[in-house]
Amino acid sequence: MPDILDWSGSDLERLELEAFEGRSNEMAARMREEVAAGRLPFLSMPYMDGLLEQLDGLQDYLAGFEHMLLLGIGGSALGARALQKAFFPRQDQPCHDGPWLWIADNVDSYALESYMAKLPPEKTVVVTVSKSGGTIETVGQYFIIRDWMRGRIGDDWTEHMLLVTDEKAGFLRKEADENAIRTLPVPDNLGGRYSVLSAVGLVPALFLGMDVRALVDGAREMAAPLADPGLDGEALAKLPSFDLAVWANGLMRAGYDQLIFFSYIPLWASFGDWFAQLWAESLGKEGKGSQPIAAIGATDQHSVNQMFLDGPRNKACLFLTCPTLPAGPRFPENLPDAFDYVRGKEFGELIQAEGMGTRMALQKNGVPLVEMRMEHDDPRQAGKLIALLGAATILAGWLMDINPLDQPAVELGKRLAKARLGADGLPEETADLADFLTSQRDEREF
């Protein structure tokens, strides 16, 4: 049974898709041009063979540690966490005895102090991830952890550091060169939200013992047709990533400005957070885009699903399922009569029934829905899903006539934060900050 996109509930017939479908030749030409120019390494993956060799050489080194502390934020952490939750669930289960991956992805003094108080530095490797080498939330944590390591271990502190950053430029590259710290590169033109299939996501995956090559093979299978130098409009129009991009644009034109990512693969729920950044940061530009909403089945049937089903009709849904999830234990036979419908059934049947019920209810209530039905919940299928959604996002942005690879609005908040901390070279932001701090406030106690 292959992986399937089920379009039965997508409302294709009600959406105006012809204008977007008719741009397949244009999109194929752009894809060929961008791939040839090296601007889409997420799809072409020219770095991958070399990276896999480097990862093979790191296995023995990483095996010498019990803990990995990953310093990263946004795309430098969300993919790693999704892989951890999906394929290393035992860290969250009773009596786990290692290895442990800890992800410091926020400006959280409680967490940072806890790591320094409780992690054994001699058994810990610190992986700092920042393409630019200047992400203050990440580099700020690096400064503090670096001093902690120096104080606890002494001259051997560099043996407990691994930097994932630009190959040539930035503070972390300079830090690596000056202190002979191990590094792995983030390829040029590979933005954080597209970087899970690089050292950013694969180093923690390797540390936890995941099948990294299966993950990569799945992604390559999905991406190869898009990176083909002979790609034409006819071939592109047959690819699922283009179908999803066209559908998304039809939805937005019809006023569906929210896109639910509903995961009925419980261990894959964190892919919803990964997708939310991918979609929002790529497509939320120039007053355009649709708001991604991560939801977990069956948990969110009992929380936000009421809004999905009976709120404003502005929502569509990507619905993630897998019919081959573990069966689990059986319900006992000696149940009260009110629960006789599950007597003797396998526990795993419940999530499948819940998923079908929710999918049908969403469709019945007018929510356009595409089911992404994975053959298995294994790393290869995860790689396919990552590449599919990444490619669909890029194509959706091009069809919207925006750049899905930058994030200009996000940079303003970063500059204002630096101005607040007294950074030089930001005269406009410093003036805006002064105006903000001296403006009349409407503050009320509660």
Side-chain angles (χ1 to χ4, degrees), residues 30-183:
R30 183 165 184 178
M31 184 68 72
R32 293 195 305 270
E33 177 185 347
E34 297 288 306
V35 168
R39 290 191 286 267
L40 292 177
F42 170 76
L43 295 175
S44 57
M45 291 186 262
Y47 61 86
M48 187 58 76
D49 289 339
L51 174 60
L52 290 174
E53 286 187 19
Q54 289 176 294
L55 292 177
D56 286 343
L58 274 179
Q59 277 191 305
D60 289 343
Y61 166 72
L62 293 177
F65 300 101
E66 295 180 5
H67 299 270
M68 175 179 286
L69 176 58
L70 175 63
L71 309 180
I73 196 168
S76 298
L78 287 167
R81 177 171 282 114
L83 294 175
Q84 177 191 26
K85 298 296 185 182
F87 302 114
F88 200 75
R90 55 188 176 274
Q91 184 167 334
D92 296 328
Q93 296 167 355
C95 304
H96 176 61
D97 59 358
W100 291 269
L101 172 65
W102 310 102
I103 301 177
D105 64 344
N106 205 348
V107 183
D108 183 346
S109 296
Y110 288 113
L112 192 60
E113 289 181 341
S114 177
Y115 294 138
M116 291 189 293
K118 298 176 182 178
L119 284 177
E122 69 281 358
K123 298 178 181 179
T124 300
V125 59
V126 180
V127 179
T128 306
V129 182
S130 173
K131 164 69 173 170
S132 67
T135 307
I136 186 57
E137 299 90 347
T138 298
V139 175
Q141 293 189 103
Y142 170 77
F143 291 144
I144 293 169
I145 294 296
R146 179 186 64 182
D147 282 0
W148 171 69
M149 276 288 189
R150 280 173 170 165
R152 296 289 296 275
I153 295 179
D155 293 341
D156 290 337
W157 70 274
T158 58
E159 285 299 305
H160 294 253
M161 295 286 179
L162 175 62
L163 306 181
V164 180
T165 190
D166 188 89
E167 198 160 14
K168 299 176 182 177
F171 167 75
L172 290 181
R173 172 52 53 191
K174 180 181 177 183
E175 182 80 350
D177 293 343
E178 290 179 353
N179 295 285
I181 299 173
R182 287 180 176 82
T183 67

Side-chain angles (χ1 to χ4, degrees), residues 286-303:
E286 301 176 19
K288 302 176 182 179
S290 59
Q291 177 65 48
I293 303 171
I296 304 169
T299 302
D300 285 326
Q301 288 177 216
H302 299 266
S303 58

